[in-house]
Amino acid sequence: MDISTVSDQLIRKFASRVAMSADDRACVSALPFKLRTIDPSTYMLREGQHPTRCAFILEGLAYRQKLTPNGEREIVSIVMPGEFVDLQNLFLEESDHDIQALTRLTFAEIPISALHGLIANCPVAGHALWIDALIESSIHREWLLNIGRRNARSRLAHLLCEFSVRFRTSADADMAYELPMTQEQLGDALGLTPVHVNRVLKSLEAAGFIAREKRLVSVIDWPGLRDAAEFNERYLHLKQTRL
């Protein structure tokens, strides 16, 4: 992946949030970055670290996690290609959670100081970053509702619906994607045991909502899966996407 490709993806990211002039695009294009590729489970950031760079995912997925003192894990969000991993660290001096690669991950690391300069010199770019941070907060709120007030079937169905939408597939047709999480990881995201996750996946398949082949999940009955999940994509704020 060459420099121009990465710059184009960064410009496309900002332009998906706000209207940008040629000068605005030039400012984003001038951002310095370091291209990195890491293996699954590699830590990008650990709780307590003082971050100096902000990552923009190009390929693969990452996840945020919180750990209890006795080592119990909760996966609190999934980060996908075309998203910034750690915008909160632009202004918070210490990380309050871990970030790990879920799959093999390629990302651009941008110095926080460079992003501060971009925000100061290009208010439009700062506006775009605000939108991204606020949408991320909205997703966190929905995950909190999901784990706190939905039953196991609805929780898992909701996560499958969210993946379908966030992977930018059409809700008007059958959807298929590789589910990148093990049953243990799904359980840690949903407050369920791996055994319970397996049981619920089988029930959704038996109901005709999805079909599975290894890690490939195909959504066969989108309306049925949506109903089972009580899914409303409003919290994803898709109307905020300009492209």
Side-chain angles (χ1 to χ4, degrees), residues 63-226:
Y63 63 91
R64 307 176 194 279
Q65 67 176 20
K66 292 283 291 184
L67 299 175
T68 65
N70 65 356
E72 295 292 327
R73 176 177 69 172
E74 181 72 21
I75 292 175
V76 297
S77 71
I78 303 295
V79 193
M80 298 189 174
E83 298 177 354
F84 283 97
V85 175
D86 42 13
L87 288 179
Q88 75 282 348
N89 290 328
L90 287 177
F91 299 104
L92 299 179
E93 295 180 355
E94 185 177 16
S95 176
D96 55 45
H97 63 283
D98 301 322
I99 303 173
Q100 280 185 275
L102 180 58
T103 66
R104 185 171 174 82
L105 195 65
T106 299
F107 56 95
E109 277 190 334
I110 305 169
I112 287 175
S113 58
L115 286 168
H116 285 172
L118 177 68
I119 292 168
N121 297 315
C122 181
V124 166
H127 185 178
L129 292 175
W130 257 109
I131 292 173
D132 252 33
L134 292 171
I135 291 175
E136 185 176 326
S137 295
S138 177
I139 293 173
H140 276 297
R141 288 190 290 274
E142 190 68 28
W143 276 48
L144 184 62
L145 174 66
N146 200 40
I147 197 171
R149 285 294 179 261
R150 294 190 178 108
N151 62 35
R153 191 168 187 258
S154 293
R155 285 184 216 175
L156 183 49
H158 197 280
L159 190 62
L160 296 179
C161 286
E162 180 179 306
F163 279 167
S164 296
V165 175
R166 291 179 69 193
F167 280 136
R168 298 183 184 275
T169 50
S170 171
D172 297 325
D174 289 350
M175 293 168 283
Y177 55 87
E178 183 177 350
L179 184 62
M181 304 172 74
T182 65
Q183 291 182 6
E184 179 182 3
Q185 289 167 335
L186 287 169
D188 286 346
L190 298 170
L192 303 171
T193 66
V195 172
H196 203 167
V197 169
N198 184 53
R199 187 181 304 124
V200 175
L201 281 170
K202 288 181 177 178
S203 75
L204 294 174
E205 193 169 18
F209 300 148
I210 63 171
R212 292 186 296 158
E213 184 177 351
K214 296 183 179 179
R215 288 200 175 187
L216 184 68
V217 173
S218 299
V219 179
I220 305 303
D221 180 0
W222 174 250
L225 188 65
R226 280 180 62 103

Side-chain angles (χ1 to χ4, degrees), residues 11 19-29 122:
I11 291 171
M20 301 188 74
S21 68
D23 288 344
D24 296 331
R25 292 170 182 262
C27 288
V28 173
S29 182
C122 181

